[in-house]
Amino acid sequence: MRPVSGATFPTRFECWAELLFAAVALRSPWRQRYLKAAPLRKRDALPEEGIRSTLQALDLAASYHLKPMTCLERSAAGQRILRRRGVPAELRLGVRHWGTGSLEAHAWIEINGKPLYGLALGFSALERRGHGSLAGIRLLSDCKMALPNDGSETDGDCVVLMGRPPDAGAEDWQPLPEPPSGGQAWVRKDGRSLALEEGPREGETLAALLRWAVPFASALQRRVILHASAVSRGGRAWAFLGESGAGKSTLAHAFSQRGWVSVADDLLPCRLDQNPGTAAREEEVVVLSAHGRLGLRAIFFLERTNASAAPRAERLAPAEGLRLLLHHGFGELGNEQMWRSQFEFYGVLVERVPTHRLEVPDDPNRISDVLTLLQEHLRP
Amino acid sequence: MPVTVEIPEHVMEKRLEDTTVLLSVRTGFYYTLNATGGRMWELLREGRSPAEVVATVARESGEVPDRVEADLSKLVSDLETEGLVRLR
């Protein structure tokens, strides 16, 4: 159903034209200038009803535009239109990383710190208390992202530029491989900046782009992210790795239903840290999560087997563990520095953390058999 | 047999128990060497000539030098094919 608007024709045309300008400007070298808050026109601010009808006009214009308009384009255009009418609107970008691993990213408008919920733009997905971090990286947006202080662990900062970097051709920036979700992404060589350009598809493109790009930024910051799910209990964590569809998420979810805490569903940031609990403050491998630093006790590589076979866990030699970590690592970037840091970390990891091959029957009804088997291995 | 065998900078290694894992950070490909291959690699890494490697490994393992030389020759050839060593 098409939205309706009580705004005048000139306002509707202004919205249409501003959206077009936003779509072009966000792909130009002047992108960052466009994203900055436009001057606030000194005049009596629109009443709430006027704001509502203006945003409805914007939504209407977006529905009849030349291309599907992303949330960023609509928010950036809306911010400028409202500020021209004396409304102190500000653009925000938010990221929410659920404990189960799903990620949402969204751009929206705030007025005097209050998000515009339930209006025609449909910006209801994000709340300010959402996490501004993903896989141990705190994401700072050039759209004034409001970072919550919720105690979640972060291990580094990364500024997320919306759109193509102005100096994309410079050596400093590396294009990432083509993201499966569409769009394009670039990372600066030091891993401190990402640039994301959404594709034409509506929906979760921005979130998917972030999830794709953050492991590369993290690796370039010499931090390692395992493509793993993980559960914790008693300040310790256990990780599950495997091919897509091997059952990583299913297993973590099953543990969470038995009272364990699911700390990662897809991306698990790790690093070496001193253990304050030992006299010599020995280094241990820790995972970073919203539940704090957790000592990593074991890694399981999941393999699907015949549905009728019994689940089986087998301790691996360290070299085999290292080989499997390399196999499941994020090697798509083909970056030497990234490979070096991953290899060094993996080498230490398999010396300190036991690795196992876990054969999982290809039958979801037998997940309880797997949990029973693992109870022996997962003792804090 | 080549006179010298050089290991380029883009090759990383990690010895874990009896196995040595090699990684080319240029390609992202990884390789494993058994105990004997790992020992040969270690000696090459130290800058020993192939002749010295043969003599050392033959002495340590009790194998006949001709057999060790054949093994080393095959190993070096495979490593060169994968870009993990340079021969001079």
Side-chain angles (χ1 to χ4, degrees), chain A residues 134-139 154-159 176 187-194 210-226 267-271 288 330 333 335 337-339 341-342 345:
Chain A
L134 171 64
I137 291 286
R138 189 169 64 167
L139 300 167
T154 56
D155 202 25
D157 289 347
C158 184
V159 176
L176 294 184
V187 63
R188 209 184 274 275
K189 276 187 175 172
D190 60 3
R192 297 286 175 186
S193 303
L194 283 169
L210 271 172
R211 184 244 169 264
W212 172 253
V214 163
F216 296 120
S218 181
L220 291 171
Q221 291 187 27
R222 294 191 170 275
R223 297 172 175 90
V224 171
I225 293 182
L226 299 181
L267 304 177
L268 183 66
C270 301
R271 76 171 182 203
L288 300 161
F330 286 96
L333 189 59
N335 175 282
Q337 184 185 333
M338 182 171 161
W339 273 119
S341 61
Q342 286 203 26
F345 183 83

Side-chain angles (χ1 to χ4, degrees), chain A residues 175-186 201 208-209 212-213 216 332-333:
Chain A
L176 294 184
E178 187 178 340
S181 60
Q184 278 185 280
W186 295 260
R201 269 185 273 164
L209 268 175
W212 172 253
F216 296 120
E332 297 94 331
L333 189 59

Side-chain angles (χ1 to χ4, degrees), chain A residues 317-320 322-324 326-327 334-337 339-341 343-344 347-348 350-351, chain B residues 9-17 19-30 32:
Chain A
E320 180 64 2
L322 174 57
R323 191 188 70 76
L324 288 172
L326 288 166
H327 177 73
N335 175 282
E336 290 193 12
Q337 184 185 333
W339 273 119
R340 283 186 194 280
S341 61
F343 189 73
E344 284 168 6
V348 175
V350 294
E351 286 177 323
Chain B
E9 273 192 6
H10 67 262
V11 181
M12 296 185 74
E13 70 198 49
K14 178 74 181 178
R15 178 138 193 205
L16 294 159
E17 298 175 347
T19 306
T20 300
V21 181
L22 306 180
L23 173 76
S24 166
V25 295
R26 191 163 289 169
T27 63
F29 291 158
Y30 50 86
T32 54

